[in-house]
Amino acid sequence: DRYRGRVFGALLAMSALFMIAGALVAGLATERLRAVTVLTLDSLGYIGGGLLALWAIRTSVAPKLRRKAPMLP
């Protein structure tokens, strides 16, 4: 409990730094590419991340739940 404030402070500081870095990368990418291309790549990243999360849940949590489920008569 005594380190909770430090941990959250470090987490939020890193989050803010990555937001700034992401904004810089997006700005540079938009200068070189068109905005529609950058937004399309961004949306593909979200879709890929969602599919990866679904796959991770399916392979790690679902088999455990099936083993614990009671059998119906």
Side-chain angles (χ1 to χ4, degrees), residues 4-66:
R4 187 182 307 172
R6 294 179 190 174
V7 170
F8 278 112
L11 181 67
L12 292 174
M14 291 302 295
S15 176
L17 288 174
F18 280 118
M19 277 193 256
I20 293 170
L24 289 172
V25 169
L28 292 173
T30 305
E31 284 181 4
R32 294 187 182 261
L33 305 170
R34 294 186 356 222
V36 174
T37 306
V38 174
L39 291 173
T40 301
L41 292 174
D42 182 51
S43 63
L44 289 175
Y46 276 107
I47 291 169
L51 291 175
L52 180 67
L54 287 175
W55 175 80
I57 290 171
R58 187 178 175 118
T59 59
S60 67
V61 176
K64 293 176 187 174
L65 291 176
R66 278 189 228 128

